[in-house]
Amino acid sequence: MIEKLDVIVIGAGQAGPSIATRFAANGKKVALIERGHVGGTCVNTGCMPTKTLVASARVAHVARRASDFGVMAGEPAIDMRRVSERAHLVTQNARAGLESWLKQAENLELIRGHAKFVGSHEIRVGKRILTAPKIFINVGARPRIPEMPGIAEVDFFTSTSILSYAEVPRHLVVIGGSYIGLEFAQMYRRFGAEVTIVEQGAALIAREDSDVSEAIKDILEQEGVSCRLDARCISFRPTSEGVEVTLDCSAGASKIAGSHVVLAVGRTPNTDDLGLGVAGLDVDEHGFIKVDESLETNIPGVWAVGDCNGRGAFTHTAYNDFEIVTANLLDGEDRKVSERVRAYALYIDPPLGRVGLTEKEARQSGRPLLVSSRPMARVGRAVERGETAGFMKVVADAETKQILGASILGVEGDEAIHGLVDAMSAKVPYTVLEWAVPIHPTVSELIPTLLRGLGPI
Ligand SMILES: Cc1cc2nc3c(=O)[nH]c(=O)nc-3n(C[C@H](O)[C@H](O)[C@H](O)COP(=O)(O)OP(=O)(O)OC[C@H]3O[C@@H](n4cnc5c(N)ncnc54)[C@H](O)[C@@H]3O)c2cc1C
């Protein structure tokens, strides 16, 4: 027998639970289906455990530098088991909070199991078949396993499996020099591992401007992380010591004797086992579900939210997808995903806070530009903290005076960027912010100065 509901949500990640509880509070009969832990990637294997580990790694780093501040502490000892337990506890607490919130919600049933479409509006989960006029797909993504020679013959970590490894590897080889890879690279270096990043491209996080990418490479190399760029023909071979990684680079040795390898080469949407073909749902060449401006798929009454729609790859973008669909369906609004100002952070230390276009992208747009930048060495807060690596940069449209984008690589960069995120969201010209009076001594206080420095390129 087919069970009739008002709303079905597949996946209890960063959008699903909020969508489900919002409709349930609205008196709708809702099923939320989850095959793993509630909370999805962010809570269980993404943001929360990794940022907890980053925090432990930072303590080790600061302890090593303690004498710079007149505090005599000596070389810290790392108890990786306790480091790991702390990350697990943060995850467990967040998951438990989410579970009890979902349990208390009226009109909402949390169903455990793998959901699959058996028709355009029919979902099978275990022995049950459910149908609803509104279906939200929030199935997220998983680490991509690249087809590289020898990969099947060696043990490797992904960003998920490395979280269960409670030891410090002797030599960790990180395949992939993008956001996730860089966070693991610096973190394990600070825990005491030898670390080599192997990146196929000519730069780390090549999506960013080259000055940002170069500064990040300097920060990592100063801490002893080796970076092998332009790495071609990457292959793997098991050895008694762990894993030998062979590569063809313009510089450096062609073999790396690692003890462990972690793959950080992107993420694949969890859409291949959803029965999308049966439902008639369109996906792009990477498996992301195609959606329109309101996040509705080609099947009316079916929406795709979060990482699986390819319109964002972050917790805040998944959550904003929840805000968009519920505002449109329940509050009579007309919100569009294209109205979202792109913002994110890279959580190395110091972090990179980013908003809008890079300078490179702004130049490609062909409009007249104004650019300003300032080294963190000239930011009082950074000097006082003894952490002067990095710089801040802003790009604006010379005619409209709108801020087009900014990068703040430096201490508190992930927080300070929000003044610019807010200004871009409010669509105010940069000239308004020039007259703001921020608090001293903060990193944000330099933003009016940075904006006053805007000039033609
Ligand atoms: C190492 C790492 C660090 C990260 N750090 C950050 C960060 O600092 N900041 C940030 O903003 N983002 C970060 N992210 C990204 C962030 O975790 C994701 O963007 C976010 O979790 C996406 O949320 P989502 O709701 O789309 O999917 P997910 O959180 O992945 O949730 C999808 C859920 O769907 C379930 N599911 C899948 N298929 C089915 C099915 N067929 N039936 C039933 N259930 C199903 C899954 O089990 C999962 O629980 C990080 C990611 C990683 C891997």
Side-chain angles (χ1 to χ4, degrees):
M1 199 186 74
I2 299 186
E3 297 174 52
K4 290 192 175 149
L5 296 139
D6 296 314
V7 174
I8 298 171
V9 182
I10 307 174
Q14 294 306 302
S18 300
I19 294 172
T21 50
R22 182 75 212 279
F23 275 100
N26 218 260
K28 302 286 184 253
K29 203 172 163 206
V30 181
L32 171 62
I33 309 171
E34 173 54 57
R35 69 179 179 189
H37 290 305
V38 299
T41 306
C42 182
V43 168
N44 298 291
T45 57
C47 340
M48 295 196 81
T50 57
K51 265 78 259 181
T52 309
L53 294 171
V54 164
S56 289
R58 180 171 157 78
V59 172
H61 176 69
V62 172
R64 277 188 199 106
R65 286 196 57 205
S67 62
D68 295 351
F69 299 84
V71 178
M72 300 306 145
E75 179 63 21
I78 309 292
D79 183 339
M80 206 55 201
R81 201 154 292 280
R82 285 177 69 175
V83 167
S84 248
E85 277 167 11
R86 186 173 165 271
H88 286 303
L89 191 65
V90 168
T91 286
Q92 271 167 16
N93 289 343
R95 199 159 68 210
L98 188 54
E99 267 165 6
S100 82
W101 177 48
L102 292 173
K103 223 176 257 168
Q104 282 162 20
E106 280 179 34
N107 305 321
L108 170 64
E109 184 188 5
L110 174 62
I111 304 175
R112 302 287 185 165
H114 176 85
K116 205 167 173 168
F117 280 86
V118 289
S120 66
H121 277 259
E122 288 80 42
I123 307 289
R124 181 194 294 280
V125 51
K127 293 199 167 93
R128 297 168 68 177
I129 297 189
L130 317 175
T131 186
K134 289 187 177 60
I135 298 179
F136 298 90
I137 308 172
N138 176 222
V139 292
R142 61 181 185 274
R144 186 170 82 81
I145 311 298
E147 284 178 18
M148 288 175 168
I151 193 77
E153 277 86 66
V154 297
D155 290 331
F156 58 82
F157 290 127
T158 63
S159 64
T160 302
S161 60
I162 200 168
L163 297 175
S164 310
Y165 185 68
E167 288 173 43
V168 178
R170 180 183 56 76
H171 183 176
L172 182 65
V173 183
V174 179
I175 309 293
S178 199
Y179 305 85
I180 291 175
L182 299 192
E183 289 178 17
F184 279 114
Q186 187 188 48
M187 175 204 303
Y188 275 99
R189 179 70 195 138
R190 289 180 168 191
F191 289 142
E194 188 182 341
V195 175
T196 304
I197 300 171
V198 175
E199 164 56 47
Q200 286 184 330
L204 298 179
I205 50 166
R207 187 194 292 174
E208 304 299 338
D209 286 330
S210 55
D211 49 1
V212 171
S213 162
E214 278 298 317
I216 287 172
K217 184 162 168 281
D218 284 352
I219 288 167
L220 294 174
E221 285 180 340
Q222 271 171 25
E223 289 192 26
V225 173
S226 302
C227 299
R228 302 294 305 277
L229 305 178
D230 270 323
R232 312 270 164 213
C233 313
I234 302 166
S235 63
F236 304 87
R237 190 177 69 84
T239 64
S240 56
E241 300 284 290
V243 185
E244 182 181 78
V245 182
T246 303
L247 61 160
D248 181 7
C249 259
S250 47
S254 63
K255 291 190 191 306
I256 302 167
S259 62
H260 297 77
V261 165
V262 60
L263 300 177
V265 289
R267 300 193 38 94
T268 303
N270 292 322
T271 54
D272 43 349
D273 53 3
L274 252 186
L276 295 185
V278 178
L281 279 154
D282 288 345
V283 294
D284 71 10
E285 70 274 22
H286 304 293
F288 291 106
I289 302 172
K290 290 187 184 172
V291 289
D292 66 13
E293 284 282 49
S294 67
L295 304 171
E296 195 167 16
T297 66
N298 62 307
I299 307 271
V302 180
W303 289 262
V305 289
D307 284 10
C308 69
N309 66 21
R311 303 296 289 260
F314 300 98
T315 287
H316 48 280
T317 49
Y319 189 78
N320 181 236
D321 285 359
F322 141 69
E323 294 175 320
I324 291 170
V325 293
T326 51
N328 291 347
L329 293 168
L330 295 173
D331 304 332
E333 296 205 28
D334 181 24
R335 301 264 161 201
K336 297 183 176 66
V337 66
S338 60
E339 289 163 356
R340 178 155 75 207
V341 173
R342 181 177 63 169
Y344 53 88
L346 161 67
Y347 285 100
I348 60 159
D349 174 38
L352 168 69
R354 278 275 298 113
V355 61
L357 301 180
T358 59
E359 183 183 343
K360 185 168 53 184
E361 288 167 336
R363 281 173 192 266
Q364 281 160 3
S365 74
R367 48 188 135 191
L369 299 181
L370 301 173
V371 178
S372 173
S373 77
R374 190 177 180 91
M376 292 301 283
R378 286 177 58 206
V379 175
R381 179 64 175 272
V383 174
E384 291 147 13
R385 289 267 300 259
E387 298 181 39
T388 52
F391 66 101
M392 47 172 81
K393 176 168 74 167
V394 64
V395 185
D397 186 308
E399 278 166 8
T400 64
K401 311 276 188 249
Q402 291 288 317
I403 299 165
L404 299 175
S407 306
I408 304 185
L409 172 66
V411 62
E412 318 289 11
D414 57 329
E415 292 290 345
I417 197 74
H418 281 95
L420 297 164
V421 174
D422 293 345
M424 286 180 69
S425 302
K427 298 188 171 64
V428 295
Y430 73 81
T431 44
V432 171
L433 289 195
E434 278 180 347
W435 292 98
V437 184
I439 296 166
H440 174 76
T442 57
V443 175
S444 300
E445 79 175 314
L446 264 296
I447 288 183
T449 315
L450 181 72
L451 294 170
R452 273 184 226 117
L454 277 166
I457 46 172

